[in-house]
Amino acid sequence: MKVFYSEAHRAHNPPFEIFEGGVKIPVFECPERMDRVLAALRKTVWAEIAPPEDFGLEPIRAVHADDYLQYLENAFADWKREGGQSGGPEFDSPLVMPATFPPRRWSNKRPTSLAGRSGFYTIDLNAPIVAETYQAALMSANCALSGAKAIVSGERVAFALCRPPGHHAGRDNCGGYCYLNNAAIAARWLSKHGKVAILDIDYHGGNGTQDIFYESAEVLTISIHADPNWEYPFFAGYADEAGAGAGLGYHRNFPLPPHTDDTHYLEALGEAIGLIRKFNPAHLVISAGMDIYKGDPLGKFDVTTDGIREIGQRIEGMGLPTLVVMEGGYNNEALGENVVGLLSAFAN
Ligand code: SP5
Ligand code: ZN
């Protein structure tokens, strides 16, 4: 199995994120995650790990707004020029983290100051930008695109070991550790070669992917996740959000309760798979978050490693050329085993 991975992620290592109540903590989404997955993949006989090809900006501009991409590219330098803060005396380097966000009725205002722009383009306090973030995000997108190219070239499956993840990034906003929506970028690129479905199994609702394809019928988007009524991202992922305009009927959310176990998860997955079969796509993209795992520090589901292996088997059972894209998953001890478990149905 072809696995696409770039070392560029390692330098994207912001010193902290902020949770509810102003709690400042080390970023859960850290470089060690990739080392855990790589170590587990290297123990298999089937993983062929290679660096991605560079696809340039065009496939990224097909998903994200130009002004947003310009913001991402220059945010750190602009922040420094404006005298942006570092997070306190214990931190030696500045990082872009806004503290003011647009109220909905006035969100058409676009300040030129970086302090203002960062609030416009950011949805939360979990996507700090450091000097190396943009480059890491570009290479992460290239991993997804390389995987897409592999399945178009006849591979049954490819795994994009992406970091930073992508599914919370919308057309013109970052959040939830995500800057560029890797799965969406790959899906739009794949849609030149026939219909595409994205199935998002990350614990958190895929608000960015939902945003990008909401009014489009070219890509069926389905997300199975913790109910946003009580879990991040709170403002998208509800059952009644089904797409709009030409995209009406081409988005589906499966919000699930806390302590969802293997049986109940697989029930929702079965329904999602029914919808994908009916849509009959040429290619399938999986946004693969391992934070559904029962031991995840950010999750409240009870899905086991065996459950994740079964999820992989059911996905494989659709018989579609499949691109698996790494999203979240924060139990580092179990992350490697869970990823290998998911992929093992495709191993040959
Ligand atoms: C890609 C991905 O999985 N992003 C997840 C971003 C989640 N960010 C918000 C987390 C809010 C955590 N609330 C406190 C839980 C402490 N146990
Ligand atoms: Zn997640």
Side-chain angles (χ1 to χ4, degrees):
M1 180 186 310
K2 289 207 155 68
V3 176
F4 294 97
Y5 167 77
S6 163
E7 274 292 318
H9 78 85
R10 207 170 289 283
H12 164 67
N13 192 13
F16 62 85
E17 63 175 312
I18 294 176
F19 275 4
E20 277 76 7
V23 182
K24 193 188 275 192
I25 48 163
V27 182
F28 275 94
E29 201 291 290
C30 59
E32 184 195 347
R33 298 176 60 244
M34 296 297 100
D35 293 324
R36 298 292 191 145
V37 177
L38 285 168
L41 288 170
R42 285 183 182 132
K43 279 195 211 140
T44 71
V45 295
W46 45 260
E48 303 166 43
I49 303 165
E53 192 181 314
D54 188 355
F55 286 73
L57 272 185
E58 198 189 306
I60 297 171
R61 292 179 64 205
V63 163
H64 292 287
D66 282 337
D67 59 317
Y68 172 64
L69 293 173
Q70 274 157 26
Y71 161 75
L72 273 188
E73 182 175 8
N74 301 308
F76 183 79
D78 292 352
W79 185 259
K80 279 208 336 201
R81 202 174 311 120
E82 283 184 19
Q85 298 296 302
S86 71
E90 67 272 40
F91 300 102
D92 46 18
S93 176
L95 82 173
V96 181
M97 187 180 278
T100 309
F101 301 92
R104 278 164 298 142
R105 278 189 299 127
W106 297 102
S107 58
N108 60 331
K109 291 289 187 292
R110 308 245 175 153
T112 55
S113 64
L114 202 277
R117 271 193 297 145
S118 61
F120 184 86
Y121 292 120
T122 311
I123 65 169
D124 58 36
L125 304 180
N126 311 100
I129 294 173
V130 295
E132 301 87 351
T133 299
Y134 183 60
Q135 191 56 31
L138 288 177
M139 292 308 278
S140 191
N142 278 320
C143 288
L145 287 162
S146 298
K149 187 173 172 184
I151 63 168
V152 161
S153 312
E155 296 285 336
R156 167 69 207 286
V157 66
F159 178 46
L161 181 45
C162 293
R163 179 178 182 274
H167 76 145
H168 296 307
R171 201 181 94 82
D172 64 354
N173 48 70
C174 56
Y177 314 137
C178 302
Y179 308 86
L180 298 176
N181 195 317
N182 307 309
I185 291 164
R188 181 144 286 158
W189 187 92
L190 281 168
S191 68
K192 293 183 294 194
H193 303 272
K195 289 194 291 183
V196 182
I198 301 180
L199 173 61
D200 188 329
I201 63 167
D202 188 282
Y203 168 79
H204 303 97
N207 61 295
T209 310
Q210 175 172 335
D211 172 59
I212 288 161
F213 295 112
Y214 206 65
E215 296 185 24
S216 147
E218 80 188 290
V219 178
L220 171 69
T221 50
I222 299 179
S223 181
I224 305 172
H225 51 254
D227 191 333
N229 187 47
W230 52 266
E231 184 56 277
Y232 181 91
F234 297 115
F235 302 103
Y238 292 83
D240 64 350
E241 297 160 0
L248 186 62
Y250 295 91
H251 181 77
R252 183 70 184 265
N253 289 316
F254 290 89
L256 300 176
H259 299 295
T260 291
D261 60 10
D262 293 352
T263 308
H264 289 104
Y265 193 94
L266 290 166
E267 222 172 87
L269 179 68
E271 227 183 296
I273 286 174
L275 296 171
I276 295 169
R277 283 191 195 279
K278 213 172 117 201
F279 180 68
N280 191 26
H283 298 99
L284 175 64
V285 177
I286 304 295
S287 265
M290 296 297 111
D291 35 13
I292 53 176
Y293 177 61
K294 67 176 177 355
D296 196 281
L298 293 187
K300 291 191 169 67
F301 282 179
D302 291 339
V303 176
T304 66
T305 300
D306 280 342
I308 290 172
R309 197 173 294 115
E310 180 67 26
I311 291 167
Q313 281 166 15
R314 304 258 177 117
I315 290 170
E316 194 277 337
M318 281 185 269
L320 292 164
T322 301
L323 168 63
V324 181
V325 177
M326 188 80 232
E327 301 283 2
Y330 309 100
N331 183 316
N332 288 345
E333 287 69 38
L335 188 58
E337 197 189 352
N338 285 337
V339 169
V340 167
L342 181 82
L343 297 174
S344 57
F346 289 94
N348 41 30

